[in-house]
Amino acid sequence: MQHTQYSKRHRQSLTSYIHLYTAQMDRTSIIIFIGAELVGSGVIEGITETSIKVKDEHYMRGVCEFRYGR
């Protein structure tokens, strides 16, 4: 079984506005979790105070955790 190595950046949560806006501007892929469950991934299309839009889906900022993707 092959294991994928993740860099520290890939494990880093996007918790501040600057992280989110930088990921959006750089078109960096992110992954989205609710608890331990992976619920989405892709490039940020939009940011509001309450949600992040990825692939035409809105993920609530107060519920989801956003991390850098691969």
Side-chain angles (χ1 to χ4, degrees):
M1 182 173 178
Q2 183 177 348
H3 295 281
T4 303
Q5 293 290 337
Y6 292 98
S7 71
K8 186 176 181 179
R9 179 177 176 193
H10 292 136
R11 292 186 301 256
Q12 181 181 1
S13 292
L14 294 108
T15 55
S16 69
Y17 284 106
I18 193 71
H19 290 151
L20 293 165
Y21 283 109
T22 300
Q24 181 183 25
M25 297 304 292
D26 291 344
R27 303 202 40 82
T28 301
S29 181
I30 65 166
I31 51 179
I32 305 149
F33 292 89
I34 297 178
E37 182 180 355
L38 176 65
V39 294
S41 66
V43 175
I44 297 173
E45 298 171 354
I47 300 171
T48 69
E49 284 192 33
T50 58
S51 69
I52 305 295
K53 183 179 177 185
V54 176
K55 293 184 180 175
D56 290 327
E57 295 287 331
H58 293 270
Y59 297 93
M60 302 307 294
R61 292 178 66 172
V63 175
C64 299
E65 178 182 359
F66 304 94
R67 297 183 188 175
Y68 288 108
R70 290 187 185 192

